[in-house]
Amino acid sequence: MSRRSDLARYLASRLALAPVMLWLIATLVFLLLRVAPGDPIDALLGTRAPEAARAALRAQLGLDLPLADQYGRFLGHLLRGDLGTSLTNGEPVTRIIQASLPASLELGVVALLLAAVAGLAVGFSGIARPEGRIDLAGRLYGISTYALPPFWAAMVVQLVFSVWLGWLPVGGRFPATLMPPEGTGFYLLDSLRAGDWGQLVGSLRHLVLPAATLGLLLSGIFTNALRLNLRRALGSDYVEAARSRGLSERRVVLHHALPNALLPVLTITGITVASLIGGALLIEVTYSWPGIAFRLQEAIAQRDYPVVQGIVVVVAALVVLVTVLVDLLVALLDPRIRF
């Protein structure tokens, strides 16, 4: 009962901090957009528009108000769950996010699964002979994949598999010759539900390169984390005690060292999600993937304040939620954790 109450208090404290974190992020992005070079009016009307037209549009959009009034209006709408409307097309920001978020989630989930499988496999492969060739190759893999610039890696993958070999599409999310599947916006799930294998194959062909590129770049996080924690676990007292009881090395590694080494790896999933968002921005732009990061890049270029603010706040909320869920999952799996 004591542990349950500690867990409840911990969850309450994290959830209480979440609004404060989101407010700080929202305030920061609001101020950065206003002090950064560029003017939304220039993006909408051009720099040669008459001054009267510019002033009228500025008043219509509320950009002529003092900064404090703009900030107060922004926070008031945000507290009511209203993210505003786009300056460029008048579409509600909530609708823009709803339309682009499924593409990003589909790409992110597949990339995260690929990163975990590849990273953990490489991290575990050299444990039989520490400092051996396989272990050193795994270390090099973890460092190099984590250090690769996403934009450069995406262009190299496109050049090899799309331009030279011609195996996969160079960009986009769906073939232009087919109609996108109707449903939730998750093309893989919608194609499976409709039983349309042509749509499913078309979706997979466009998803392979961006997901594999992003997964490769993130897999080094899992490789390095598993290598370090597994080596630490193998040198611990409980592993030595298991060996002294005559257990085989395979059983010692799989049943004693590996479960404890995987718990810290699970903890870094929250960090990986944050890295996923940063890497997805360049990946989506390079592959013309119509996700939320691609839409964010467009909004920044157009100086579309409400869209940028809304996307940043929603993404920050998702990162906070994932981090809290991961912390709770680790706490439930590891009874040694105290709050």
Side-chain angles (χ1 to χ4, degrees), residues 7-19 21 266-267 269-271 273 316-332 339:
L7 183 62
R9 284 196 297 268
Y10 173 75
L11 178 60
S13 65
R14 291 298 300 269
L15 294 179
L17 284 175
M21 297 173 61
L266 181 60
T267 306
T269 303
I271 304 174
V273 170
L318 290 176
V319 173
V320 170
L321 177 62
V322 170
T323 304
V324 172
L325 291 177
V326 169
D327 287 347
L328 291 177
L329 181 59
V330 173
L332 292 174
F339 301 95

Side-chain angles (χ1 to χ4, degrees), residues 2-74:
S2 175
R3 182 171 175 80
R4 287 186 178 180
S5 61
D6 290 342
L7 183 62
R9 284 196 297 268
Y10 173 75
L11 178 60
S13 65
R14 291 298 300 269
L15 294 179
L17 284 175
V20 178
M21 297 173 61
L22 294 178
W23 168 72
L24 290 174
I25 293 172
T27 302
L28 184 61
V29 70
F30 176 88
L31 295 176
L32 287 177
L33 286 172
R34 269 67 181 180
V35 301
D39 189 347
I41 305 302
D42 292 341
L44 293 171
L45 297 180
T47 56
R48 297 184 179 182
E51 191 58 37
R54 294 170 60 87
L57 182 58
R58 192 179 299 275
Q60 177 184 346
L61 298 177
L63 298 176
D64 61 333
L65 298 174
L67 188 62
D69 293 343
Q70 294 184 44
Y71 179 67
R73 178 182 293 185
F74 164 63

